Amino acid sequence: MNIGKKIRLSRLFTNTRSLIVPVDDSLINGPEEGLYDIEKTLKIIIDESPNGILCFKGILKNYQDLLVKTPIILNLTGSTTRINHTRKILISSVEESLALGADAVAVHINISSSFEGEMIKNFSEISRECDTLGMPLMAIIYPRFEENGVDNNYLDLKLRSETEYTKLVRHCVRIAHDLGADIIKTQYTGSVESFETVIKCVEKVPVLIAGGQKISIDEALNNTEGAIKAGASGICFGRNTYNRKNIATFIKQVRKIVHK
């Protein structure tokens, strides 16, 4: 790993652990709930000193005074839930992220989507740029496909067979690993035992779990603890953070688990 990547990654991790808060859902779903008043929400999150924030370039450009001391992961891919949400297209570049002062970039791949090949190609091209320019690359990679105009996240399979669902997630993270990801964000499989097999197959690359749809605080904390016990490096919770009544309290709770 080149020195540029090492320096930037060191800003995103504390003793190999990381707590990232994404605020990129307003492009995807619209500026609702905790993302409606984005300045207010950002202030609350930043006051709790997360290891980083994942966002699109507009937030970084318009709130740079707030974000100047917070490590930033710039999402280079996007889509909306209005049409073809599973098809993530490139909307920014590595060079632009450097100009904006980002510490890492993220590229999303949905495995088993009919657009999978296009997303893998985009990721591979960004990976080469990142290696050349010393920019860490996060893979946001989920088992997900489009069905009757909506996302299918294999939740039925997860309930029916954790073993088969875990096999899918293992494939996702190994794809990210083999394409050169420096950080992997993926779905928690449901238990310490199953997620240990996910971590084992990519043990040289830090893995963060996604929050997914909003769940109870207890479930979010249990997932965090299970992932950390399995060997994960942390969490990347968006709507499960900023859509809470008390955002600061929730961040404190998960930080105790991630960084204890």
Side-chain angles (χ1 to χ4, degrees), residues 136-153:
L137 173 58
M138 170 189 277
I140 304 172
I141 190 161
Y142 305 150
R144 176 189 285 167
F145 68 100
E146 54 282 346
E147 185 176 47
N148 300 321
V150 296
D151 295 359
N152 186 319
N153 291 286

Side-chain angles (χ1 to χ4, degrees), residues 11-14 17-20 49-53 70-71 258-259:
R11 297 174 189 148
L12 291 163
F13 288 85
T14 303
R17 298 280 178 85
S18 189
L19 191 166
I20 305 295
S49 301
N51 289 94
I53 285 178
T70 303
V258 172
H259 289 304

Side-chain angles (χ1 to χ4, degrees), residues 11-232:
R11 297 174 189 148
L12 291 163
F13 288 85
T14 303
N15 298 324
T16 74
R17 298 280 178 85
S18 189
L19 191 166
I20 305 295
V21 180
V23 289
D24 56 351
D25 269 0
S26 53
L27 184 148
I28 299 164
N29 298 309
E32 309 303 329
E33 297 186 74
L35 295 182
Y36 179 74
D37 188 343
I38 186 63
E39 183 171 6
K40 177 183 176 182
T41 298
L42 282 173
K43 285 179 178 177
I44 296 170
I45 293 169
I46 291 165
D47 281 348
E48 293 305 317
S49 301
N51 289 94
I53 285 178
L54 170 64
C55 65
F56 291 111
K57 65 180 181 180
I59 285 179
L60 181 51
K61 288 172 69 174
N62 293 317
Y63 298 97
Q64 54 188 281
D65 291 343
L66 278 178
L67 296 170
V68 68
K69 293 184 179 180
T70 303
I72 297 294
I73 303 173
L74 193 70
N75 197 337
L76 303 188
T77 51
S79 66
T80 80
T81 52
R82 303 295 178 180
I83 187 170
N84 287 346
H85 177 231
T86 57
R87 185 184 187 185
K88 300 293 182 178
I89 63 170
L90 287 174
I91 57 175
S92 191
S93 69
V94 181
E95 284 190 355
E96 187 173 30
S97 71
L98 286 167
L100 289 167
D103 297 277
V105 296
V107 173
H108 193 127
I109 308 174
N110 290 314
I111 297 303
S112 74
S113 163
S114 60
F115 307 106
E116 176 190 287
E118 176 186 347
M119 289 181 278
I120 286 176
K121 181 176 182 291
N122 288 339
F123 188 96
S124 299
E125 291 174 353
I126 294 296
S127 179
R128 286 195 293 273
E129 286 186 64
C130 285
D131 287 343
T132 300
L133 297 172
M135 177 65 81
L137 173 58
M138 170 189 277
I140 304 172
I141 190 161
Y142 305 150
R144 176 189 285 167
F145 68 100
E146 54 282 346
E147 185 176 47
N148 300 321
V150 296
D151 295 359
N152 186 319
N153 291 286
Y154 292 94
L155 298 182
D156 289 342
L157 177 63
K158 188 176 182 179
L159 290 172
R160 188 172 68 251
S161 174
E162 187 176 295
T163 299
E164 289 303 310
Y165 180 75
T166 302
K167 188 176 181 181
L168 262 177
V169 176
R170 280 202 302 267
H171 192 183
C172 286
V173 299
R174 182 55 73 87
I175 289 169
H177 171 281
D178 290 354
L179 292 178
D182 300 297
I183 309 168
I184 301 171
K185 174 185 177 182
T186 196
Q187 300 289 352
Y188 183 58
T189 51
S191 69
V192 175
E193 293 74 21
S194 64
F195 206 63
E196 280 177 337
T197 71
V198 173
I199 299 298
K200 178 64 178 175
C201 71
V202 291
E203 58 187 354
K204 297 287 187 180
V205 181
V207 176
L208 311 180
I209 64 165
Q213 296 298 317
K214 188 180 175 183
I215 53 181
S216 71
I217 290 176
D218 285 346
E219 188 175 357
L221 296 178
N222 287 337
N223 287 350
T224 302
E225 186 167 3
I228 294 297
K229 284 182 177 179

Side-chain angles (χ1 to χ4, degrees), residues 3-16:
I3 189 65
K5 283 196 177 190
K6 285 183 178 180
I7 290 171
R8 292 182 175 95
L9 281 170
S10 71
R11 297 174 189 148
L12 291 163
F13 288 85
T14 303
N15 298 324
T16 74

Side-chain angles (χ1 to χ4, degrees), residues 223-251:
N223 287 350
T224 302
E225 186 167 3
I228 294 297
K229 284 182 177 179
S233 295
I235 63 166
C236 194
F237 287 178
R239 73 203 76 173
N240 274 290
T241 300
Y242 57 71
N243 283 340
R244 300 289 178 195
K245 287 183 178 179
N246 195 322
I247 297 169
T249 297
F250 180 73
I251 294 176

